[in-house]
Amino acid sequence: MRSLIQRPFARSHRDGTPFARPFANLGVLALLVGLVFTVTAVPTAYAGLGFGNRQAVGGVMIDPEGNVRAATEAEQKEMAEKVRAAINQPGGELGEATESRVISLARLQDALKEMHETGRELDDETAFLAGLQRVEYVVVDKENHDILLVGPAEPWEVRADGSVVGTKSGGSVLRLDDLVTAFRSVEEARRDGGILCSIEPTAEGRQRLQGFLKNIVLRPGQNPAFLEAGMRQAFGPQMIKLAGVPTQSRFARTLVAADFEMKRIAMALTPSPVKGLPSYLDIARNKRQSATQSPRWWMACNYDAIARDPAGQVWKISGQGVKTLTEEDIVAADGTVVSDGRQDPLAVKWANAMTEKYDSLSKEMPIFRDLRNAMDFAVVATLITQEQLDRSSGIDLGVLRGSDSLIELPSFDLPRSLSPQCSFIHGMAGWTVTASGGVNINAFGVVENQVERPELQSLVSVQQDNGSDRWWWNGN
């Protein structure tokens, strides 16, 4: 990793093709949703791969009324066809995997300014941040008034469901629009106590369900499955709550989609694609249940202590990124819930299994890698802001932070509710309903947990670039 931020000397691929290749079909796809650059009043460039108001993120659809549901196979196929038509196959250095790709935030902003000034459409290498898979290092480059993001990168391809993933790891690529959202959400997240998403039943729905269950008497050996349709109808829609991030951003949709899919796996509403990760219903079946308790799961940050050199010039971010936690909701007679921190051992077992299998699950269902990418960017943006790395490097991050109005983020349909996504277990003590979930990104807590590593100083090595202004290159 020495000479990590060595400057590039060329502005074209090895095969001579230029780096900036605009999306071929963006001009005619008026409903393409992504990152918007505005010249006067005309939107001219987009980064992001959503089509129409019923945008699919990770196989999850959100309609104009804000209702959330799983995308059908036909919808996923249609999405994949549109995405493949909209992006180019990466070539040259972008067509090769590397353990160390360096992104200059100063030069990235310059490139975005140039696109804004010339009206040039955003190319896919910028939209996908040169194939970056993860940010492992944040480097302060005082000599060039810059901040560098460093991590592994791969060429990308489109999966059958429309997800854009690395060809080597199968993991979702990092995206410029999520980086911009993360930078713009730091203060909102500070005010709201983090970036939060939850999918919650209503108190009225819980009350109706309790009334429904009071009138149910099962005969010995009777299968309760025939009751579930009526129970779901009584339960009613579940409400989506978001905080700390713009609710109409792709970032927010990623949180909702990941939460939605976690619930579906836990409750056996969709088959788990990973061996060793059964549903919670499989784990809890025929075990003693409590009629007044309901397990809740949520995904949270799972990082090692952030390492830094003594001068605060090199910062290393490591760890799996995401873990699953659980506690019990206690349901009162009026349908409201409280939590006292108690954990059901079976729910803990499922949460631990999901944490252990998270990387494998992310390859099978890219929405979970999208969630980790969002968490990574939240940590990066919070680190730069909290530690004032922009001030110490002398870089003005106005383009990414939005203070200069060059970048206009799109307005997605606001996710509001979903039809009942819940499962019911009839145990020896009554019915247990599993319905609640969420995401909690406490990037401030991650950034506060630091450790000093003097050996990171060896990564700081800047070489003159002979006039090249390319915004990414491969380190050594």
Side-chain angles (χ1 to χ4, degrees), residues 163-429:
S163 300
V164 182
V165 300
T167 58
K168 180 180 177 182
S169 68
S172 298
V173 294
L174 292 167
R175 298 171 64 129
L176 176 62
D177 48 352
D178 289 337
L179 176 63
V180 172
T181 301
F183 268 117
R184 296 184 180 183
S185 301
V186 173
E187 296 307 322
E188 184 177 352
R190 189 196 308 277
R191 184 189 67 236
D192 292 347
I195 296 174
L196 309 170
C197 168
S198 64
I199 300 177
E200 303 284 348
T202 64
E204 295 78 10
R206 291 191 182 97
Q207 255 189 321
R208 287 194 301 268
L209 179 62
Q210 287 179 332
F212 179 88
L213 293 177
K214 284 180 181 178
N215 299 318
I216 299 298
V217 178
L218 291 177
R219 297 188 300 273
Q222 186 177 15
N223 188 337
F226 75 98
L227 296 170
E228 291 195 2
M231 293 167 73
R232 289 193 177 93
Q233 183 177 3
F235 211 30
Q238 295 168 245
M239 308 311 295
I240 297 170
K241 299 179 181 180
L242 289 159
V245 68
T247 57
Q248 294 173 311
S249 64
R250 181 185 182 277
F251 196 116
R253 286 194 161 208
T254 295
L255 306 183
V256 173
D259 187 11
F260 178 85
E261 293 293 10
M262 176 187 68
K263 289 162 58 71
R264 283 163 50 80
I265 293 172
M267 297 180 292
L269 298 174
T270 190
S272 169
V274 176
K275 185 177 181 180
L277 180 61
S279 71
Y280 170 74
L281 267 64
D282 289 332
I283 293 175
R285 187 168 285 115
N286 298 323
K287 302 295 192 299
R288 188 171 185 83
Q289 308 294 335
S290 169
T292 61
Q293 289 182 272
S294 175
R296 169 195 298 272
W297 295 277
W298 69 96
M299 291 170 284
C301 293
N302 186 24
Y303 293 87
D304 302 330
I306 293 182
R308 59 175 175 81
D309 72 325
Q313 289 185 267
V314 181
W315 304 74
K316 182 178 181 181
I317 301 171
S318 60
Q320 178 170 285
V322 186
K323 62 183 174 183
T324 305
L325 302 173
T326 184
E327 65 181 14
E328 290 292 305
D329 281 344
I330 311 301
V331 184
D334 62 357
T336 59
V337 297
V338 295
S339 298
D340 59 6
R342 282 186 289 180
Q343 297 177 317
D344 169 37
L346 298 177
V348 171
K349 182 177 180 180
W350 188 85
N352 290 343
M354 182 165 178
T355 299
E356 179 184 348
K357 299 295 182 180
Y358 194 87
D359 284 344
S360 299
L361 184 63
S362 296
K363 294 177 182 179
E364 298 296 328
M365 302 179 70
I367 187 59
F368 292 107
R369 178 64 70 87
D370 284 332
L371 176 63
R372 195 198 71 180
N373 291 350
M375 288 190 177
D376 281 358
F377 275 153
V379 171
V380 168
T382 302
L383 172 66
I384 291 172
T385 303
Q386 284 288 91
E387 298 297 327
Q388 299 184 342
L389 302 186
D390 51 338
R391 181 176 298 180
S392 62
S393 68
I395 186 177
D396 179 359
L397 291 172
V399 174
L400 294 175
R401 286 192 170 130
S403 58
D404 58 11
S405 302
L406 287 185
I407 300 177
E408 179 186 347
L409 290 175
S411 179
F412 285 64
D413 293 322
L414 175 65
R416 299 179 185 275
S417 66
L418 67 157
S419 59
Q421 298 289 318
C422 47
S423 292
F424 308 90
I425 305 171
H426 187 257
M428 292 180 286

Side-chain angles (χ1 to χ4, degrees), residues 80-97:
E81 291 173 351
K82 290 180 178 179
V83 173
R84 289 192 183 101
I87 68 174
N88 296 318
Q89 187 71 25
E93 288 181 86
L94 286 178
E96 301 173 0

Side-chain angles (χ1 to χ4, degrees), residues 1-233:
M1 292 295 292
R2 287 178 297 179
S3 301
L4 189 65
I5 55 178
Q6 188 174 17
R7 296 288 183 178
F9 291 88
R11 297 194 64 193
S12 62
H13 297 304
R14 294 176 183 174
D15 60 8
T17 57
F19 285 109
R21 296 188 313 276
F23 283 109
N25 296 330
L26 292 189
V28 297
L29 292 172
L31 295 179
L32 183 64
V33 181
L35 180 66
V36 181
F37 291 76
T38 304
V39 177
T40 63
V42 182
T44 61
Y46 303 77
L49 298 170
F51 296 83
N53 289 329
R54 299 176 72 181
Q55 151 82 357
V57 177
V60 177
M61 302 292 290
I62 302 177
D63 68 19
E65 286 71 45
N67 300 311
V68 181
R69 64 172 176 81
T72 65
E73 289 187 13
E75 288 169 334
Q76 292 186 29
K77 181 180 179 181
E78 180 184 6
M79 176 68 67
E81 291 173 351
K82 290 180 178 179
V83 173
R84 289 192 183 101
I87 68 174
N88 296 318
Q89 187 71 25
E93 288 181 86
L94 286 178
E96 301 173 0
T98 176
E99 291 300 314
S100 176
R101 183 151 292 161
V102 185
I103 290 178
S104 159
L105 293 187
R107 294 187 173 191
L108 175 60
Q109 290 193 133
D110 288 343
L112 297 177
K113 288 178 182 178
E114 189 270 338
M115 293 177 191
H116 170 81
E117 292 167 357
T118 62
R120 182 164 59 89
E121 292 180 343
L122 189 72
D123 54 85
D124 44 354
E125 86 179 41
T126 310
F128 298 125
L129 292 172
L132 200 65
Q133 282 281 309
R134 193 159 202 197
V135 177
E136 294 182 337
Y137 296 91
V138 178
V139 181
V140 175
D141 180 4
K142 293 184 178 180
E143 181 179 347
N144 293 285
H145 306 298
D146 204 352
I147 293 176
L148 310 174
L149 307 183
V150 186
E154 303 171 15
W156 53 86
E157 63 183 1
V158 181
R159 280 175 40 121
D161 62 358
S163 300
V164 182
V165 300
T167 58
K168 180 180 177 182
S169 68
S172 298
V173 294
L174 292 167
R175 298 171 64 129
L176 176 62
D177 48 352
D178 289 337
L179 176 63
V180 172
T181 301
F183 268 117
R184 296 184 180 183
S185 301
V186 173
E187 296 307 322
E188 184 177 352
R190 189 196 308 277
R191 184 189 67 236
D192 292 347
I195 296 174
L196 309 170
C197 168
S198 64
I199 300 177
E200 303 284 348
T202 64
E204 295 78 10
R206 291 191 182 97
Q207 255 189 321
R208 287 194 301 268
L209 179 62
Q210 287 179 332
F212 179 88
L213 293 177
K214 284 180 181 178
N215 299 318
I216 299 298
V217 178
L218 291 177
R219 297 188 300 273
Q222 186 177 15
N223 188 337
F226 75 98
L227 296 170
E228 291 195 2
M231 293 167 73
R232 289 193 177 93
Q233 183 177 3

